[in-house]
Amino acid sequence: MQKTLKNLSSAPLSAKFGMVIVFIYLVVAIFAPLIAPYGEREILGRAYELMSSEHLLGTDNLGRDMLSRLIYGARNTIGLTLIITTLAFLIGSLTGMIAAALGGWIDQLLSRIVDIFMSIPALIFALLILSILGTAMPYLIGTIVIVDSTRVFRVSRAAAMNVAVMDYVEVARLRGEKLVWILRKEILPNITAPLLAEFGLRFCFVFLFISALSFLGLGIQPPTADWGSMVRDNATLITYNDITPLIPAGAIALLTVAVNFVVDWMLHKSSGLKDVS
């Protein structure tokens, strides 16, 4: 605990800023029903009402409170992103470590399958699958998990390959240790740092990807609040010099920048490089 607090206190200002922003977003996402002044789907007045004491950010195209939708959007977008990133990471990192540990035809088979998926642009692949199967939540989650797990596979395989050739791993094999034991005891502990940093990067990519799909109408479906769809629904206000559509866009950008600040610091720590004064 003391070591963790010491590491946090020694973090650069950018990383501390990122951690504060991420913490605020998480608090808003978790306690959204308590923080939001109105319901997520509650129609309260006319469409596109201006900012007022009753509606601090005005209303959207259906007369729903923009501030409440923005708060609930944090819960929906961030929650879905965490679920997808976690699933993609579990699948990609596990298969990557298995490919590196076993090698041979298993490594070749998994690598070629991943190459096929990575050869297709991610957005085009998602648009094709979701257009055919529909935009139900299981299809949305499954599609993005497939797209993102291939990237995680590449990173985890590359990191695990460097560990799999070490003498202590070979000794474990000669000792008769099973694959699961080697992955859990020898390989995973030695690649945890780059994997944690990659998790942060993947979170950003998935977060932006969901927002992009929602903006195109294939992501989180209405009436569920989502920042990407909020930008799309209120985009017409830009022609009237109204900044309302830029607020959810700014929320997306701020979280992405904050997470990247934290990831940059984690990568620096894991690299073992010293700060140059």
Side-chain angles (χ1 to χ4, degrees), residues 3-17:
K3 185 178 179 181
T4 301
L5 293 175
K6 183 179 179 180
N7 287 333
L8 292 177
S9 63
S10 64
L13 184 60
S14 59
K16 292 178 180 178
F17 170 78

Side-chain angles (χ1 to χ4, degrees), residues 155-215:
V155 173
S156 62
R157 177 182 176 274
M161 287 286 283
N162 294 328
V163 178
V165 297
M166 293 296 180
D167 291 339
Y168 52 83
V169 177
E170 187 62 30
V171 169
R173 290 196 181 101
L174 294 174
R175 201 166 58 232
E177 301 293 352
K178 302 297 185 182
L179 176 63
V180 175
W181 191 95
I182 294 174
L183 294 179
R184 185 167 57 91
K185 294 292 187 177
E186 301 290 0
I187 295 180
L188 182 59
N190 289 288
I191 64 172
T192 300
L195 286 183
L196 286 175
E198 181 65 18
F199 185 90
L201 292 175
R202 285 296 109 204
F203 178 89
C204 290
F205 282 118
V206 173
F207 181 70
L208 293 173
F209 198 55
I210 292 174
S211 298
L213 288 175
S214 296
F215 182 81

